Amino acid sequence: VDGVHDLGGLVGFGSVEHEPMEPVFHEPWEGRVFGMMGAVSLAGYTSGPSFRHAIERMDGVHYLASSYYEHWLTGLATLLVERGVISASDLLDRVDDFPLARPIADDPLPPAFAHDPSPSAAFPLGARVRVRNVHPRGHTRCPDYVRDREGVVVRVDPPANVPELEAHAGRVVPETVYCVRFACADLWGDGRDGATVHVDLYERYLEAV
Amino acid sequence: VTGEHHPRPTSEVERRASALEALLVERGIIAAADVDAIVELYANDLGPMNGAKVVARAWTDEAYKQRLLADGTAAIAELGFSGPEGDHMVVVENTPQVHNVVVCTLCSCYPWPVLGLPPNWYKSAPYRSRMVREPRTLLAEMGCELADDVEIRVWDSSAETRYLVLPERPERARALDEAALAELVTRDSMIGVERL
């Protein structure tokens, strides 16, 4: 989904508050949220792509105004409510307000990405590829800033589970992933940085040039 | 928290976190002890000291370095480091001509077995938005000034691969042994926002 989590290349967030020796958890509740997510995952109630998608479905203003582990807390509570493990009213019995992310029904499985994989490894090392200009409503690992851009395959990875299918349909379907190199100048229209950016892209995101 | 003598007002998010944990424990979905164990593991046992051992080994053992660059996951597992967010490791090597830096624009992907959990700045909007667009400027702002002729390679970990930067061995470290070298290796140098 073209949400505020897809941050690559956006302007206006200021400088990085770089803290060289920061603690693993800044507050005890952050550790509790991290540990809860781990325990819930080990107990089999969620998967990585579903959890990420739940975070991506957070209200955009809430996402940008809240801390990282508040994203986790909101995503985790949303998934548990959607899966019927707990209810929203269980939460509201205990606290006055517990904002959840929008329902998954609002973010359907993107039709363009709903198919099973074609025979894999279509693009050899060194192939020039273009990222398909598809903007799915749902979960995807294709960052917006590479859509419709051309790059070169620099590594072919073993098949990995297609996150769209795992997040939306609970289906585990492996597909070849390509590490594609883009020139910064091609992405941003000026050559000032003389740099390249590499993005790991599932085969279905790509087309031959 | 046990031993906290000066209770401070709890924030809303803290109350929500406690409410969810209490509910999940009460329903038998999770046990508080499991949460404790996970917190303990990630707060104390996983961290950049693991990655530093990998780097120091690569600096002192050329055959290991070649294995590390060819198959990061297997070479890192030789030193006993593996697990969640480390199943598909790729190690990228800095040279005098090439500087590598890692980001996750969509989320917070990071190689847990070798670096532990990511610092806040790595997960922040400024870092995620800017590193793919103006890496040279942002690196300089973060104290990592690179000559104009050094090529920058940014790695956006958007799928299952997790990246570790192999920094250059500093000149001043020529005489040190592997254990002393590991002490020199910082988290930031293995993300790629620092040169040693």
Side-chain angles (χ1 to χ4, degrees), chain A residues 148-207:
Chain A
D148 214 23
R149 302 307 171 104
E150 290 180 19
V152 174
V153 173
V154 296
R155 204 183 64 241
V156 180
D157 283 336
N161 300 334
V162 177
E164 286 82 354
L165 296 174
E166 205 173 345
H168 289 271
R171 290 168 56 206
V172 173
V173 181
E175 179 170 285
T176 304
V177 179
Y178 301 86
C179 179
V180 180
R181 173 177 293 169
F182 301 88
C184 248
D186 289 344
L187 295 175
W188 312 112
D190 62 44
R192 117 197 106 163
D193 258 313
T196 53
V197 177
H198 305 74
V199 185
D200 296 332
L201 298 165
Y202 289 79
E203 188 162 310
R204 67 189 58 208
Y205 304 162
L206 302 172
E207 59 193 11

Side-chain angles (χ1 to χ4, degrees), chain B residues 11 19 30 33 38 61 68 77 84 86 104 114 121 133-134 141 149 151:
Chain B
S11 65
I30 61 171
I38 293 169
D61 179 343
L68 184 66
C104 175
V114 281
W121 60 262
R133 184 172 180 134
E134 45 174 5
E141 269 183 39
D149 61 351
E151 179 194 340

Side-chain angles (χ1 to χ4, degrees), chain A residues 116-127:
Chain A
D116 276 345
S118 49
S120 65
F123 307 112
L125 215 55

Side-chain angles (χ1 to χ4, degrees), chain A:
Chain A
V1 65
D2 292 342
V4 293
H5 69 284
D6 187 358
L7 284 162
L10 298 191
V11 172
F13 291 104
S15 54
V16 174
E17 287 179 36
H18 181 224
E19 196 187 335
M21 296 300 293
E22 71 176 82
V24 175
F25 300 113
H26 287 67
E27 308 251 2
W29 71 266
E30 296 186 341
R32 300 315 290 177
V33 170
F34 178 79
M36 256 191 276
M37 177 56 204
V40 165
S41 243
L42 288 173
Y45 290 97
T46 174
S47 72
S50 301
F51 177 56
R52 281 178 59 160
H53 185 217
I55 290 174
E56 291 163 10
R57 286 185 276 125
M58 282 176 70
D59 174 79
V61 173
H62 184 204
Y63 181 96
L64 287 175
S66 57
S67 70
Y68 180 73
Y69 284 109
E70 186 167 344
H71 299 170
W72 277 47
L73 176 63
T74 310
L76 178 58
T78 301
L79 274 183
L80 291 169
V81 168
E82 283 176 348
R83 293 176 177 197
V85 179
I86 56 172
S87 71
S89 61
D90 289 335
L91 295 169
L92 294 176
D93 285 344
R94 294 166 186 263
V95 283
D96 294 339
D97 187 29
F98 205 123
L100 299 175
R102 68 173 178 270
I104 191 165
D106 291 3
D107 264 17
L109 176 64
F113 291 155
H115 60 87
D116 276 345
S118 49
S120 65
F123 307 112
L125 215 55
R128 213 168 159 75
V129 290
R130 184 187 299 110
V131 182
R132 296 170 67 201
N133 192 14
V134 176
H135 295 255
R137 285 276 307 176
H139 180 62
T140 183
R141 299 291 175 81
C142 183
D144 186 54
Y145 71 91
V146 295
R147 290 201 184 110
D148 214 23
R149 302 307 171 104
E150 290 180 19
V152 174
V153 173
V154 296
R155 204 183 64 241
V156 180
D157 283 336
N161 300 334
V162 177
E164 286 82 354
L165 296 174
E166 205 173 345
H168 289 271
R171 290 168 56 206
V172 173
V173 181
E175 179 170 285
T176 304
V177 179
Y178 301 86
C179 179
V180 180
R181 173 177 293 169
F182 301 88
C184 248
D186 289 344
L187 295 175
W188 312 112
D190 62 44
R192 117 197 106 163
D193 258 313
T196 53
V197 177
H198 305 74
V199 185
D200 296 332
L201 298 165
Y202 289 79
E203 188 162 310
R204 67 189 58 208
Y205 304 162
L206 302 172
E207 59 193 11
V209 172

Side-chain angles (χ1 to χ4, degrees), chain A residues 18 22 32 68 145 193, chain B residues 21 36 108 120 136 156 188:
Chain A
H18 181 224
E22 71 176 82
R32 300 315 290 177
Y68 180 73
Y145 71 91
D193 258 313
Chain B
E21 185 175 351
D36 296 341
S108 54
N120 266 355
R136 200 174 301 271
D156 186 353
D188 287 2

